[in-house]
């Protein structure tokens, strides 16, 4: 049985006209004798609206209710897609995750799919039906609705492809594929034909919203090839696959950037074992994600400065926690909003010396100051002022020959 999983993102189902177009795409796959499983996200903007409502109703809205609320957007989109498919003559129905069920583990708001019951869907496929399944959600063993992290429909699609052993998994979105950098931030960005899981995972984790990072991890673990393409224009997209399938002579494959980061510096912290742990433990307890961290070598052996970055949304909470933390002493707390992280990514840098230098020199030529640096085998990230992001992107894109 040749199964194909098709996933449609928020903008692809963002209006009635777009849903009509999506139904045509689905119908075309079905006519090619595929058994088609569809996953949809909520219509664009809907999930954000729901988040807003949860904040308006209570400053302390529980994670359990957050999941119930946020999962509703997908129900609307799926029912509209199924309704349109019926209208144009296809057998189709919507499935909410709990009806299948899709079982998740882990905490609310950030669960992971670990099992999908196939029986009902297989029967429906064999009857010629097209199931339209809600992405982004499942139920846990207490039979409570869960969600799997923002942008999570990508991971729903990958896990469906895994459990149903799909021949193909296509992610339909509002751009033509994965680009060298966000095409909305740099018009010179180029579509990448093939990219490895490792590079895509770094690009996604470092800010390329086009794919959710968890979904790439799941795809890599299960060796599922992903095709990312546009739901508006019928053109070849990007293939995300294993490294050995790729021949690429570029040193850098792509550039990602973040927005809405803030920098927190504790000046004059007592330099003794356990101090970093006592700063970060209460932050992690409060689900605050700490990103880049640097600690300066202490000049006098007694004091040090510690800098880290967080999302600006968490800045107020973070400062409150630090000021209330009796187990740490420091002379000054410096806060800086409006910083951003820019990262160059590529397996090519493993075998090429001098990439770090070229990145720093390029930024220096643009008079852009580097505030924090972090590296791994296939990426280099730097923190800069947010106002310089566009300039930095353009300069690095050119330096590493991604413009052509
Ligand atoms: P969907 O609603 O289909 O899930 P998303 O908004 O989550 O779509 O992701 C698509 C968006 O990702 C694009 O509109 C684009 O602005 C952004 N993006 C960021 N980085 C990249 C990149 N490197 N390549 C393509 N798109 C990117
Ligand atoms: N609708 C969800 C969100 O906005 C899931 C998704 O888009 O994949 O996060
Ligand atoms: Mg998305």
């Amino acid at each position: 049985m040749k199964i194909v999983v098709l996933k449609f993102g928020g903008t692809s189902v963002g209006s009635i006209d777009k849903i009509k177009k999506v139904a045509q795409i689905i119908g075309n796959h079905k006519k090619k004798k595929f058994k088609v499983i569809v996953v949809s996200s909520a219509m664009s903007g809907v999930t954000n609206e729901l988040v807003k409502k949860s904040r308006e109703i209570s400053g302390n809205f529980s994670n359990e209710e957050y999941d119930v609320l946020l999962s509703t957007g997908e129900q609307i989109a799926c029912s509209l897609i199924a309704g349109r498919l019926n209208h144009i003559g296809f057998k189709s129905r919507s499935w909410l995750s709990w009806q299948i069920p899709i079982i998740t583990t882990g905490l609310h708001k950030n669960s992971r799919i670990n099992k999908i019951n196939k029986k009902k869907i297989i029967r429906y496929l064999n009857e010629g039906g097209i199931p339209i399944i809600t992405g982004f959600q499942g139920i846990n063993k207490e039979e409570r609705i869960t969600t799997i992290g923002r942008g999570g429909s990508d991971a729903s699609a990958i896990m469906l492809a895994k459990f149903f052993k799909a021949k193909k998994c296509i992610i339909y979105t509002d751009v033509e594929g994965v680009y060298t950098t966000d095409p909305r931030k740099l018009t010179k960005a180029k579509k990448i034909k093939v990219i490895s899981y490792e590079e895509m995972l770094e690009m996604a984790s470092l800010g390329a919203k086009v794919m959710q990072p968890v979904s790439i991890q799941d795809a890599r673990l299960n060796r599922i090839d992903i095709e990312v393409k546009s739901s508006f224009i019928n053109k070849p997209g990007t293939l995300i696959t294993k490294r050995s399938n790729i021949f690429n002579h570029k040193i850098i494959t792509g550039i990602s950037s973040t927005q809405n980061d803030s920098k927190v510096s504790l000046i004059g912290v007592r330099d003794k074992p356990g101090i970093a742990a006592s700063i970060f433990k209460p932050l992690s307890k409060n689900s605050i994600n700490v990103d880049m961290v640097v600690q300066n070598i202490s000049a006098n052996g007694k004091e040090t400065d510690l800098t880290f970055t967080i999302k600006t949304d968490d800045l107020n909470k973070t400062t409150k926690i630090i000021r209330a933390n009796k187990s740490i002493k420091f002379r000054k707390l410096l806060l800086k909003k409006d910083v951003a992280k820019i990262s160059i990514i590529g397996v090519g840098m493993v075998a090429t010396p001098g990439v770090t230098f070229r990145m720093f020199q390029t930024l220096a030529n643009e008079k852009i100051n580097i505030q924090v640096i972090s590296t791994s085998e296939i990426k280099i990230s730097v923190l800069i002022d947010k106002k310089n992001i566009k300039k930095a992107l353009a300069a690095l894109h050119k330096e590493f020959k991604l413009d052509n």
Side-chain angles (χ1 to χ4, degrees), residues 41-42 47 74 136 150-153:
S41 172
T47 315
E74 273 68 16
F136 178 52
R150 294 302 307 272
S153 312

Side-chain angles (χ1 to χ4, degrees), residues 54-62:
S54 75
R55 289 190 181 138
E56 281 166 7
I57 206 86
S58 162
N60 217 353
F61 199 67
S62 77

Side-chain angles (χ1 to χ4, degrees), residues 219-231:
R220 180 170 64 161
L221 282 175
N222 298 293
R223 292 286 178 239
I224 294 163
D225 284 355
I226 307 171
E227 201 182 326
V228 184
K229 60 190 292 185
S230 162
S231 52

